[in-house]
Amino acid sequence: MSKRLLVRGNEAICRGAVEAGCRPYFGYPITPQNDIPEYMSRVLPELDGVFIQAESEIASINMVLGAASTGVRAMTSSSSPGISLKLESISYMAAMELPCLIVNISRSGPGLGGIDASQGDYFQAVKGGGHGGYHTLVLAPYSIQEMYDLTMLAFDLAEIYRIPAMILGDAVVGQMKEPLEPHPRPSRELPPKDWALRGKGDGEQRFIKSLYLGDGELEARNWVLHAKYQALKENECRCEEFETSDASLIVTGFGSAARIAKTAVMMARDEGLKVGLLRPITLFPFPEKSFATATAYCKKVLDVELNTGQMVEDVRLSVARDAEVFFYGRPSGTGSLPTPEELLEQIKKHY
Amino acid sequence: MQQVFKRPESLKDVQTHYCPGCHHGTIHRLVAEALDEFGLQKKTIGVASIGCSVFLYSYFDIDVVESPHGRAPAVATGVKRARPDSFVFTYQGDGDLAAIGTAEIIHAANRGEDISVIFVNNTTYGMTGGQMAPTTLLGQRTSTSPFGRKQDTEGYPIRVTELLSCLDGVAFAARAAVNTPKNLMDAKKQIKKAFRYQVEGKGFSFVEVLSSCPTNWGMSAIQANERVGKEMCDYFKLGTYKNTANF
């Protein structure tokens, strides 16, 4: 077993990315994710990697697009307003089927908002925030270990499905320090990159594009992308179930909200209440089946988010028809992070 | 029998969609000839921009990645940094490079990225139907400057080559045209020089090529060609603006 480290979530992402073989990083400063470009600027040059602090978030995602088109593992990171700027090119990369990693250590909004933990970007991340109708793979770590593990997983799944992947975190999981057990990337069979640009050599020309003007061409492309999203839903849903088997009420939430909720669930158990936690780890694909299965028996779900209600829409679409879904949310802003006691009160209210 | 003239290997044997009298086809050929002469076809990754030249992959027999509007220098930066052994060029119009892509071209140039940029300036947005561009000349009528461009409200046409040649990161910058046989031969030489900079790892190279757009200028092919020589060359002076290695 390797040595345990005490690191911030943002650093765990960097370590996971480097371990996954990511060498070019392209970014732009924005709080609360600056630890990521700062770490990469120190570490990547030593590994013969590339670090560029671009002139904008827009330029940095397009550098990722260029690097990814050659088949290398490339990443960028930003925070909410910066992700908004990147969305046009994320749509391009979804259309071009280019694997890459985009990290959103999101901040509160809308507008300039603030730098506190927030989950106001759920819709943007999960529903395809850019134009044209697409999805990215979205993973929501809730611990420093998961920041590391899910970063490696994101690179693998991005390559297997040829899709941009996103890590959706916030200041809580990004800035907090916690023990991390680094480990080598789990080996996984990956498809050959027979699409990557390298100069045509003696072979056929390759090109990567998203413009399709011929009769029926673009529609066909969209069905190809749709089939990929269906395959992700079928094969890659991930969630954590904690004390759900005998639960009378299931609390759900993702990322930092789920972390607070888990404490509240344990407090409820200490008081003898049969409460469990169902925590989506993949936000797209959303673990619909896990919700359907869990609510076949448990008819009460309490969804907790750091916003006024976003994931709750997917929860409502996924649960059994006779299950009740309650929502408790605090939109972001200084002083708005709920306490475990506050959530315990909500649990008792709906139990 | 000795063959004295042929289609460049880097160009496909296909008909282009370009309008009669448009200079894109000629400029494509010069770029392809330069690729051939340096033996670059097999290791080239072209970056197509948004505009009439977006179909670069249909005409060049090389690997190509499409870029969002204006971002080709950033995309090319990513390609070149990831694959330093490849030869990377962008092919961009004036709407793409001099308006929405101003930040990307200035910063790629300023970083001295080891890429080459072919900047085709026809003083208008061609593909979208002839709107005003940053390079549109004063008085020029376009679909969004129907009374002619006025400096008081629309500012002045940007001279991009001059602007970029001020940056220390730029190794080579030149402006050329293809409206006469002499200018065409000079344009070929400038493109070759630009490519030589990258072949020898000497840094960022830039060639602006003045081009006609008969359709959107509302002119015949011959009138449009004449406008390049009379009006455009007068404001956008041809020549070498920076040549740090004295090629």
mmCIF file of all heavy atoms in Angstrom, chain B residues 162-190:
data_model
loop_
_atom_site.group_PDB
_atom_site.id
_atom_site.type_symbol
_atom_site.label_atom_id
_atom_site.label_comp_id
_atom_site.label_asym_id
_atom_site.label_seq_id
_atom_site.Cartn_x
_atom_site.Cartn_y
_atom_site.Cartn_z
ATOM 1 N N GLU B 162 0.863 44.324 -39.713
ATOM 2 C CA GLU B 162 1.645 45.360 -39.026
ATOM 3 C C GLU B 162 1.516 45.198 -37.508
ATOM 4 O O GLU B 162 2.490 45.315 -36.762
ATOM 5 C CB GLU B 162 1.157 46.751 -39.443
ATOM 6 C CG GLU B 162 1.546 47.164 -40.859
ATOM 7 C CD GLU B 162 0.543 46.692 -41.914
ATOM 8 O OE1 GLU B 162 -0.118 45.655 -41.684
ATOM 9 O OE2 GLU B 162 0.431 47.344 -42.963
ATOM 10 N N LEU B 163 0.266 44.949 -37.080
ATOM 11 C CA LEU B 163 -0.016 44.796 -35.644
ATOM 12 C C LEU B 163 0.815 43.659 -35.049
ATOM 13 O O LEU B 163 1.475 43.803 -34.018
ATOM 14 C CB LEU B 163 -1.508 44.500 -35.485
ATOM 15 C CG LEU B 163 -2.150 44.543 -34.116
ATOM 16 C CD1 LEU B 163 -2.246 45.982 -33.634
ATOM 17 C CD2 LEU B 163 -3.556 43.952 -34.186
ATOM 18 N N LEU B 164 0.800 42.521 -35.721
ATOM 19 C CA LEU B 164 1.484 41.340 -35.172
ATOM 20 C C LEU B 164 3.004 41.483 -35.237
ATOM 21 O O LEU B 164 3.720 40.959 -34.381
ATOM 22 C CB LEU B 164 1.063 40.074 -35.939
ATOM 23 C CG LEU B 164 -0.375 39.601 -35.739
ATOM 24 C CD1 LEU B 164 -0.628 38.335 -36.535
ATOM 25 C CD2 LEU B 164 -0.700 39.373 -34.278
ATOM 26 N N SER B 165 3.486 42.197 -36.246
ATOM 27 C CA SER B 165 4.946 42.260 -36.393
ATOM 28 C C SER B 165 5.584 43.042 -35.238
ATOM 29 O O SER B 165 6.794 42.967 -35.042
ATOM 30 C CB SER B 165 5.342 42.833 -37.753
ATOM 31 O OG SER B 165 4.752 44.083 -37.928
ATOM 32 N N CYS B 166 4.756 43.766 -34.460
ATOM 33 C CA CYS B 166 5.289 44.470 -33.275
ATOM 34 C C CYS B 166 5.618 43.507 -32.136
ATOM 35 O O CYS B 166 6.307 43.866 -31.192
ATOM 36 C CB CYS B 166 4.270 45.455 -32.731
ATOM 37 S SG CYS B 166 3.839 46.744 -33.861
ATOM 38 N N LEU B 167 5.064 42.297 -32.197
ATOM 39 C CA LEU B 167 5.224 41.368 -31.068
ATOM 40 C C LEU B 167 6.551 40.618 -31.165
ATOM 41 O O LEU B 167 6.913 40.103 -32.226
ATOM 42 C CB LEU B 167 4.071 40.351 -31.049
ATOM 43 C CG LEU B 167 2.664 40.935 -30.879
ATOM 44 C CD1 LEU B 167 1.612 39.845 -31.078
ATOM 45 C CD2 LEU B 167 2.512 41.583 -29.508
ATOM 46 N N ASP B 168 7.252 40.534 -30.044
ATOM 47 C CA ASP B 168 8.550 39.838 -30.036
ATOM 48 C C ASP B 168 8.418 38.364 -30.383
ATOM 49 O O ASP B 168 9.364 37.757 -30.870
ATOM 50 C CB ASP B 168 9.195 39.975 -28.653
ATOM 51 C CG ASP B 168 9.676 41.400 -28.410
ATOM 52 O OD1 ASP B 168 9.756 42.169 -29.400
ATOM 53 O OD2 ASP B 168 9.958 41.746 -27.247
ATOM 54 N N GLY B 169 7.253 37.780 -30.108
ATOM 55 C CA GLY B 169 7.077 36.357 -30.372
ATOM 56 C C GLY B 169 6.971 36.006 -31.850
ATOM 57 O O GLY B 169 7.059 34.832 -32.217
ATOM 58 N N VAL B 170 6.764 37.012 -32.693
ATOM 59 C CA VAL B 170 6.578 36.734 -34.120
ATOM 60 C C VAL B 170 7.934 36.666 -34.822
ATOM 61 O O VAL B 170 8.733 37.596 -34.752
ATOM 62 C CB VAL B 170 5.695 37.829 -34.774
ATOM 63 C CG1 VAL B 170 5.619 37.648 -36.285
ATOM 64 C CG2 VAL B 170 4.297 37.779 -34.161
ATOM 65 N N ALA B 171 8.172 35.553 -35.508
ATOM 66 C CA ALA B 171 9.448 35.384 -36.207
ATOM 67 C C ALA B 171 9.361 35.882 -37.647
ATOM 68 O O ALA B 171 10.332 36.432 -38.183
ATOM 69 C CB ALA B 171 9.863 33.913 -36.193
ATOM 70 N N PHE B 172 8.206 35.672 -38.254
ATOM 71 C CA PHE B 172 8.063 36.064 -39.660
ATOM 72 C C PHE B 172 6.662 36.580 -39.908
ATOM 73 O O PHE B 172 5.681 35.960 -39.490
ATOM 74 C CB PHE B 172 8.339 34.865 -40.575
ATOM 75 C CG PHE B 172 8.197 35.178 -42.044
ATOM 76 C CD1 PHE B 172 9.219 35.810 -42.740
ATOM 77 C CD2 PHE B 172 7.034 34.854 -42.730
ATOM 78 C CE1 PHE B 172 9.089 36.115 -44.098
ATOM 79 C CE2 PHE B 172 6.884 35.158 -44.082
ATOM 80 C CZ PHE B 172 7.929 35.786 -44.768
ATOM 81 N N ALA B 173 6.551 37.726 -40.573
ATOM 82 C CA ALA B 173 5.238 38.275 -40.933
ATOM 83 C C ALA B 173 5.347 38.967 -42.282
ATOM 84 O O ALA B 173 6.264 39.765 -42.502
ATOM 85 C CB ALA B 173 4.750 39.259 -39.868
ATOM 86 N N ALA B 174 4.424 38.647 -43.168
ATOM 87 C CA ALA B 174 4.457 39.248 -44.500
ATOM 88 C C ALA B 174 3.042 39.378 -45.026
ATOM 89 O O ALA B 174 2.128 38.675 -44.586
ATOM 90 C CB ALA B 174 5.288 38.383 -45.444
ATOM 91 N N ARG B 175 2.876 40.316 -45.993
ATOM 92 C CA ARG B 175 1.594 40.430 -46.682
ATOM 93 C C ARG B 175 1.822 40.249 -48.177
ATOM 94 O O ARG B 175 2.774 40.795 -48.729
ATOM 95 C CB ARG B 175 0.920 41.760 -46.405
ATOM 96 C CG ARG B 175 -0.455 41.852 -47.057
ATOM 97 C CD ARG B 175 -1.136 43.197 -46.871
ATOM 98 N NE ARG B 175 -1.553 43.426 -45.480
ATOM 99 C CZ ARG B 175 -1.088 44.407 -44.731
ATOM 100 N NH1 ARG B 175 -0.193 45.251 -45.203
ATOM 101 N NH2 ARG B 175 -1.518 44.555 -43.490
ATOM 102 N N ALA B 176 0.957 39.456 -48.787
ATOM 103 C CA ALA B 176 1.109 39.145 -50.200
ATOM 104 C C ALA B 176 -0.254 39.232 -50.876
ATOM 105 O O ALA B 176 -1.272 39.433 -50.220
ATOM 106 C CB ALA B 176 1.692 37.741 -50.358
ATOM 107 N N ALA B 177 -0.244 39.106 -52.192
ATOM 108 C CA ALA B 177 -1.503 39.082 -52.961
ATOM 109 C C ALA B 177 -1.309 38.132 -54.134
ATOM 110 O O ALA B 177 -0.165 37.777 -54.471
ATOM 111 C CB ALA B 177 -1.868 40.482 -53.441
ATOM 112 N N VAL B 178 -2.416 37.728 -54.742
ATOM 113 C CA VAL B 178 -2.315 36.794 -55.876
ATOM 114 C C VAL B 178 -3.044 37.348 -57.098
ATOM 115 O O VAL B 178 -3.466 36.608 -57.973
ATOM 116 C CB VAL B 178 -2.865 35.387 -55.502
ATOM 117 C CG1 VAL B 178 -1.995 34.734 -54.455
ATOM 118 C CG2 VAL B 178 -4.313 35.472 -55.015
ATOM 119 N N ASN B 179 -3.155 38.679 -57.158
ATOM 120 C CA ASN B 179 -3.953 39.294 -58.229
ATOM 121 C C ASN B 179 -3.191 39.438 -59.547
ATOM 122 O O ASN B 179 -3.798 39.662 -60.579
ATOM 123 C CB ASN B 179 -4.470 40.663 -57.782
ATOM 124 C CG ASN B 179 -3.343 41.632 -57.455
ATOM 125 O OD1 ASN B 179 -2.364 41.236 -56.810
ATOM 126 N ND2 ASN B 179 -3.456 42.862 -57.893
ATOM 127 N N THR B 180 -1.876 39.358 -59.529
ATOM 128 C CA THR B 180 -1.084 39.425 -60.758
ATOM 129 C C THR B 180 -0.077 38.278 -60.729
ATOM 130 O O THR B 180 0.251 37.761 -59.650
ATOM 131 C CB THR B 180 -0.287 40.740 -60.859
ATOM 132 O OG1 THR B 180 0.691 40.766 -59.791
ATOM 133 C CG2 THR B 180 -1.190 41.967 -60.742
ATOM 134 N N PRO B 181 0.457 37.885 -61.901
ATOM 135 C CA PRO B 181 1.453 36.811 -61.897
ATOM 136 C C PRO B 181 2.638 37.132 -60.987
ATOM 137 O O PRO B 181 3.116 36.276 -60.246
ATOM 138 C CB PRO B 181 1.871 36.733 -63.365
ATOM 139 C CG PRO B 181 0.674 37.224 -64.122
ATOM 140 C CD PRO B 181 0.052 38.277 -63.263
ATOM 141 N N LYS B 182 3.092 38.379 -61.000
ATOM 142 C CA LYS B 182 4.239 38.734 -60.155
ATOM 143 C C LYS B 182 3.890 38.602 -58.673
ATOM 144 O O LYS B 182 4.648 38.010 -57.885
ATOM 145 C CB LYS B 182 4.674 40.177 -60.452
ATOM 146 C CG LYS B 182 5.857 40.609 -59.601
ATOM 147 C CD LYS B 182 6.189 42.076 -59.734
ATOM 148 C CE LYS B 182 7.318 42.455 -58.784
ATOM 149 N NZ LYS B 182 6.990 42.249 -57.377
ATOM 150 N N ASN B 183 2.717 39.167 -58.302
ATOM 151 C CA ASN B 183 2.319 39.065 -56.891
ATOM 152 C C ASN B 183 2.142 37.611 -56.468
ATOM 153 O O ASN B 183 2.475 37.228 -55.341
ATOM 154 C CB ASN B 183 1.010 39.833 -56.656
ATOM 155 C CG ASN B 183 1.253 41.334 -56.562
ATOM 156 O OD1 ASN B 183 2.409 41.770 -56.478
ATOM 157 N ND2 ASN B 183 0.185 42.114 -56.591
ATOM 158 N N LEU B 184 1.597 36.801 -57.385
ATOM 159 C CA LEU B 184 1.386 35.387 -57.082
ATOM 160 C C LEU B 184 2.719 34.677 -56.814
ATOM 161 O O LEU B 184 2.849 33.908 -55.854
ATOM 162 C CB LEU B 184 0.645 34.725 -58.238
ATOM 163 C CG LEU B 184 0.226 33.270 -58.024
ATOM 164 C CD1 LEU B 184 -1.170 33.050 -58.578
ATOM 165 C CD2 LEU B 184 1.188 32.296 -58.663
ATOM 166 N N MET B 185 3.707 34.977 -57.642
ATOM 167 C CA MET B 185 5.029 34.360 -57.431
ATOM 168 C C MET B 185 5.617 34.818 -56.089
ATOM 169 O O MET B 185 6.216 34.029 -55.357
ATOM 170 C CB MET B 185 5.989 34.718 -58.574
ATOM 171 C CG MET B 185 5.546 34.255 -59.954
ATOM 172 S SD MET B 185 5.217 32.488 -60.037
ATOM 173 C CE MET B 185 6.877 31.855 -60.189
ATOM 174 N N ASP B 186 5.424 36.099 -55.773
ATOM 175 C CA ASP B 186 5.908 36.608 -54.484
ATOM 176 C C ASP B 186 5.171 35.944 -53.315
ATOM 177 O O ASP B 186 5.778 35.607 -52.292
ATOM 178 C CB ASP B 186 5.699 38.130 -54.407
ATOM 179 C CG ASP B 186 6.728 38.886 -55.235
ATOM 180 O OD1 ASP B 186 7.737 38.257 -55.631
ATOM 181 O OD2 ASP B 186 6.511 40.084 -55.494
ATOM 182 N N ALA B 187 3.849 35.766 -53.489
ATOM 183 C CA ALA B 187 3.055 35.140 -52.428
ATOM 184 C C ALA B 187 3.573 33.728 -52.153
ATOM 185 O O ALA B 187 3.698 33.295 -51.003
ATOM 186 C CB ALA B 187 1.581 35.096 -52.832
ATOM 187 N N LYS B 188 3.887 33.012 -53.222
ATOM 188 C CA LYS B 188 4.432 31.655 -53.075
ATOM 189 C C LYS B 188 5.723 31.689 -52.251
ATOM 190 O O LYS B 188 5.922 30.872 -51.349
ATOM 191 C CB LYS B 188 4.662 31.072 -54.471
ATOM 192 C CG LYS B 188 5.461 29.791 -54.527
ATOM 193 C CD LYS B 188 4.616 28.591 -54.090
ATOM 194 C CE LYS B 188 5.435 27.311 -54.103
ATOM 195 N NZ LYS B 188 5.863 26.894 -55.442
ATOM 196 N N LYS B 189 6.576 32.661 -52.582
ATOM 197 C CA LYS B 189 7.851 32.763 -51.848
ATOM 198 C C LYS B 189 7.618 33.075 -50.370
ATOM 199 O O LYS B 189 8.284 32.518 -49.490
ATOM 200 C CB LYS B 189 8.710 33.882 -52.463
ATOM 201 C CG LYS B 189 9.411 33.476 -53.752
ATOM 202 C CD LYS B 189 10.263 34.634 -54.268
ATOM 203 C CE LYS B 189 10.562 34.414 -55.743
ATOM 204 N NZ LYS B 189 10.804 35.664 -56.469
ATOM 205 N N GLN B 190 6.654 33.956 -50.096
ATOM 206 C CA GLN B 190 6.388 34.321 -48.695
ATOM 207 C C GLN B 190 5.825 33.127 -47.924
ATOM 208 O O GLN B 190 6.196 32.890 -46.767
ATOM 209 C CB GLN B 190 5.397 35.500 -48.629
ATOM 210 C CG GLN B 190 5.876 36.792 -49.296
ATOM 211 C CD GLN B 190 6.982 37.498 -48.520
ATOM 212 O OE1 GLN B 190 7.813 36.852 -47.868
ATOM 213 N NE2 GLN B 190 7.011 38.817 -48.608
#
